[in-house]
Amino acid sequence: MTRNWLLNAAFTVGALALATAPALAAPTKFDFWYGLSGDLSERIQDMCKDFNASQADYEIVCTSQNDYDTNLQNTIAAYRANKQPTISQIFDAGTLDLMLSQAYLPIGQLMTENGYDIDWSNYFSGIASYYSTSKGELLSMPFNSSTAMIYYNTDALTKVGFEGLPTTWSQVEDVARKMKAAGYDCPIGFDPAGAWQWFEQFEAVHNQPIATHGNGFDGLDAEMVVGKGKFVQQLTWLKAMYDEGLLVLKSKDTGEVDQDAFAAGKCQIFSGSIAGHGSVTAKAIPDLHWDVAMLPTLDGVTRTNSLVGGASLWTLKGKTPEEYKGAAAFYNFLATPKQAEWWSTVTGYIPVTNTGFEAMKANGFYDKAPYAGRQRAIESLTATPPTENTRGIRLGNYASIRAEMVKTIQNVLFNNVPVQQALDEFDAKGNDILRRFQATYKDAVLP
């Protein structure tokens, strides 16, 4: 009986202690919207879970908006309705839209105000410049960064007698023609939706302007000049390759995209983001031997650096100080070498800092399959210091201009519109888009 009394007494004291103890503060929740889906969305969800498990003060709620364009539009609409997330992932083509919106807190200001000392010079210049002011102030947090590459089936190259990996488009043409003769139905898989790699990155590695004023960096009155440069020659080449059956349409419309056709061994070459490296690894049929290389150049051209693709993280105004503390803690979490290596490992996106890249090299990350070759994306981005044509594209509503290029390529390849005519019309439509954007931001000065 005495024992039961002691147990009851202990229970009563414990219950009173719990009743009088102060309740633990709930973690501060804040929202992160992003524009990735499928496997990449799952990896972001893993990242968010890891951040939440790493500390108890903040809880990030991560929500996919399915794709970049949708996320940009949803973010704009949410901001206007005062329902914006704290963080939004905005792709490269939406950078100027955010810069002129005045709806964000600069990343440097956010981190400093919340007690973080970040060495911003540690970020690769070709990446940082895309998201920086003309004076070099970084405005958003580089996140999923990539660049365009070209993928080769090395067994097919060996079969047609080519050693190593092609470095010029004339070599690509030669091996593609030999592959066709050797019985390969699809030498090169091609998706015209990939204007980013087939057009923008071609312009960059050949140091060609897409628009005046340093691709818009030096003013909203920039004008399109694509029809006056080397892309006239390249689009003419693409058309000839398509007509000869060396460039084969592989897209959602055909039921199989170029990357999947390559991984299945049906196409022997395709061009896409380095971020697809992990997907090719996961989807590749048994005994598929392949490699990845920097984009080829035209004969006799000295290569310049390629453009960074992907997206950065923008911190939106109108949130509470506690939410901003959470955002800063999340950015600091992303910047750790351990997290940078994990992100690059599971996706194929490149590390965005020198220290992150050097740490991965020191750990032997790039020494063997399945990660060998990914370092070439860094080599491509850092091939030269950025020029006024390769530091990025700062054109208003550039997502719409990119969509016009997709239509332009389709019209040339499938509707036989003459190349020069098509590109002149593209420049005219691009200028219409730019002038409407300029009117929207009348008298605005680029940061």
Side-chain angles (χ1 to χ4, degrees):
M1 184 171 180
T2 302
R3 179 174 179 273
N4 288 340
W5 180 86
L6 287 172
L7 284 173
N8 290 338
F11 176 79
T12 301
V13 172
L16 287 171
L18 287 173
T20 57
L24 293 175
T28 299
K29 287 188 177 182
F30 63 99
D31 288 307
F32 168 31
W33 289 3
Y34 61 91
L36 299 173
S37 58
D39 181 69
L40 291 175
S41 176
E42 292 178 10
R43 301 293 75 77
I44 286 187
Q45 291 297 328
D46 290 339
M47 173 187 292
C48 294
K49 291 175 184 176
D50 289 345
F51 170 72
N52 288 338
S54 72
Q55 44 73 50
D57 295 327
Y58 311 103
E59 180 183 346
I60 191 169
V61 180
C62 303
T63 306
S64 171
Q65 307 295 317
N66 295 319
D67 59 67
Y68 285 142
D69 281 304
T70 301
N71 186 54
L72 175 62
Q73 297 308 316
N74 287 353
T75 297
I76 293 171
Y79 187 83
R80 290 171 177 167
N82 198 30
K83 296 180 179 180
Q84 69 273 23
T86 305
I87 300 171
S88 187
Q89 178 199 32
I90 304 299
F91 67 143
D92 52 356
T95 297
L96 183 58
D97 301 68
L98 262 292
M99 279 187 171
L100 293 182
S101 71
Q102 300 300 314
Y104 63 90
L105 289 180
I107 184 65
Q109 175 186 336
L110 175 81
M111 299 305 281
T112 298
E113 290 179 350
N114 287 282
Y116 295 97
D117 185 15
I118 307 296
D119 179 10
W120 300 113
S121 66
N122 188 29
Y123 286 80
F124 287 117
S125 60
I127 295 174
S129 64
Y130 209 116
Y131 308 118
S132 298
T133 67
S134 58
K135 297 180 181 178
E137 179 191 6
L138 192 63
L139 299 181
S140 57
M141 185 76 168
F143 179 50
N144 56 310
S145 294
S146 63
T147 197
M149 308 293 283
I150 189 163
Y151 293 71
Y152 297 102
N153 182 320
T154 52
D155 285 339
L157 289 177
T158 299
K159 186 172 181 178
V160 299
F162 191 91
E163 295 184 5
L165 302 174
T167 59
T168 65
W169 286 113
S170 61
Q171 289 177 334
V172 171
E173 177 179 348
D174 181 59
V175 298
R177 187 169 291 114
K178 289 177 179 176
M179 287 175 181
K180 188 76 172 179
Y184 292 105
D185 293 331
C186 177
I188 306 173
F190 179 82
D191 187 347
W196 175 68
Q197 64 264 32
W198 292 105
F199 160 58
E200 292 166 36
Q201 299 285 358
F202 171 88
E203 297 283 74
V205 300
H206 291 83
N207 200 25
Q208 293 288 290
I210 290 175
T212 60
H213 296 331
N215 287 339
F217 269 71
D218 299 328
L220 292 178
D221 56 340
E223 295 187 351
M224 306 297 296
V225 292
V226 177
K228 300 176 182 178
K230 293 184 184 299
F231 192 66
V232 176
Q233 175 183 347
Q234 186 68 356
L235 186 52
T236 301
W237 179 84
L238 290 172
K239 170 62 173 172
M241 294 286 285
Y242 177 77
D243 288 346
E244 193 176 338
L246 305 181
L247 202 69
V248 179
L249 179 63
K250 292 290 180 180
S251 66
K252 290 181 180 179
D253 293 336
T254 66
E256 186 176 43
V257 297
D258 50 0
Q259 183 189 93
D260 290 348
F262 178 82
K266 298 176 183 178
C267 294
Q268 314 315 310
I269 303 170
F270 89 102
S271 181
S273 171
I274 190 61
H277 197 280
S279 295
V280 172
T281 299
K283 297 175 182 178
I285 59 173
D287 299 323
L288 181 71
H289 300 112
W290 57 280
D291 206 346
V292 64
M294 291 190 289
L295 290 179
T297 62
L298 297 173
D299 290 339
V301 170
T302 300
R303 175 188 302 276
T304 44
N305 65 286
S306 60
L307 295 174
V308 63
S312 64
L313 303 182
W314 292 79
T315 312
L316 302 180
K317 289 181 178 178
K319 311 307 289 187
T320 67
E322 285 302 314
E323 287 172 304
Y324 289 139
K325 289 180 181 178
F330 180 61
Y331 292 147
N332 190 61
F333 170 79
L334 296 183
T336 62
K338 179 181 178 181
Q339 184 62 25
E341 181 169 352
W342 175 84
W343 179 241
S344 292
T345 300
V346 299
T347 63
Y349 286 115
I350 60 175
V352 295
T353 62
N354 288 284
T355 52
F357 178 53
E358 292 301 327
M360 291 171 69
K361 282 202 302 182
N363 291 338
F365 181 85
Y366 300 105
D367 292 344
K368 56 184 179 180
Y371 311 120
R374 292 189 186 182
Q375 75 280 4
R376 295 181 189 132
I378 301 290
E379 294 169 6
S380 180
L381 283 168
T382 59
T384 60
T387 73
E388 67 172 8
N389 298 321
T390 67
R391 57 185 165 173
I393 302 169
R394 192 140 302 169
L395 301 174
N397 198 8
Y398 189 68
S400 295
I401 295 175
R402 181 180 283 169
E404 286 297 335
M405 175 50 72
V406 173
K407 296 176 185 176
T408 298
I409 295 173
Q410 291 172 328
N411 281 334
V412 170
L413 267 60
F414 311 145
N415 300 326
N416 297 315
V417 175
V419 171
Q420 189 64 62
Q421 175 187 329
L423 291 179
D424 288 344
E425 291 173 353
F426 166 76
D427 282 343
K429 291 176 182 177
N431 284 334
D432 286 342
I433 293 170
L434 292 178
R435 297 294 75 79
R436 290 197 298 271
F437 187 88
Q438 185 181 13
T440 301
Y441 291 97
K442 187 176 180 181
D443 300 324
V445 177
L446 289 176

